[in-house]
Amino acid sequence: MTFLQISQVQGQTPVTVFEISGRINLGNYKEIERAAQQEYENGMRNLVLDISGVDSLTSIGIRTLIVIHKLLTRDKAGRLKLAGVIPPVRDMFDVAGVSQFLEMHDTTDEAVAAF
């Protein structure tokens, strides 16, 4: 599996799913941001980040999620949901103060169904 897998799911509304594995850090955050920007320019407005395969992230990883959240919500037409957030990563979101802005679900299916 590569670091970033992108797929489309048709629920009640079209949803793009980014399945990320490994660690989000200085070495790969630009790839995620570029992919989100490209998908946005191609019409994506609903995104699920499946981070069940992410065991940790640095502050740049948290920044990346904020950048993507802002991208999707700036015109109030898009939404971001996270899936598969493991407890240590959730704790990092709590400490960073971003949990209140990030909607989290246990699975990708649950996140897609929430749109």
Side-chain angles (χ1 to χ4, degrees), residues 29-40:
Y29 80 97
K30 286 182 185 178
E31 181 180 346
I32 300 168
E33 288 183 14
R34 272 193 295 260
Q37 182 67 44
Q38 182 175 5
E39 291 293 322
Y40 183 83

Side-chain angles (χ1 to χ4, degrees), residues 18-103:
F18 284 15
E19 186 177 346
I20 303 170
S21 61
R23 184 174 178 175
I24 302 172
N25 59 27
L26 193 59
N28 58 24
Y29 80 97
K30 286 182 185 178
E31 181 180 346
I32 300 168
E33 288 183 14
R34 272 193 295 260
Q37 182 67 44
Q38 182 175 5
E39 291 293 322
Y40 183 83
E41 289 170 3
N42 290 333
M44 180 237 356
R45 293 299 181 266
N46 297 310
L47 176 63
V48 171
L49 292 179
D50 177 350
I51 60 172
S52 58
V54 172
D55 52 5
S56 68
L57 52 116
T58 63
S59 59
I60 200 78
I62 293 172
R63 176 201 166 277
T64 298
L65 298 180
I66 294 168
V67 166
I68 294 170
H69 181 269
K70 285 182 178 182
L71 171 71
L72 291 169
T73 60
R74 69 176 168 209
D75 61 4
K76 301 194 185 333
R79 294 179 288 169
L80 170 67
K81 299 180 189 295
L82 302 181
V85 183
I86 63 171
V89 173
R90 187 179 293 260
D91 291 344
M92 291 177 72
F93 293 155
D94 291 342
V95 169
V98 298
S99 293
Q100 62 190 0
F101 303 107
L102 301 172
E103 186 176 331

Side-chain angles (χ1 to χ4, degrees), residues 1-7 16-21 31 48:
M1 171 189 243
T2 63
F3 163 72
L4 175 63
Q5 298 273 347
I6 301 172
S7 61
T16 300
V17 177
F18 284 15
E19 186 177 346
I20 303 170
S21 61
E31 181 180 346
V48 171

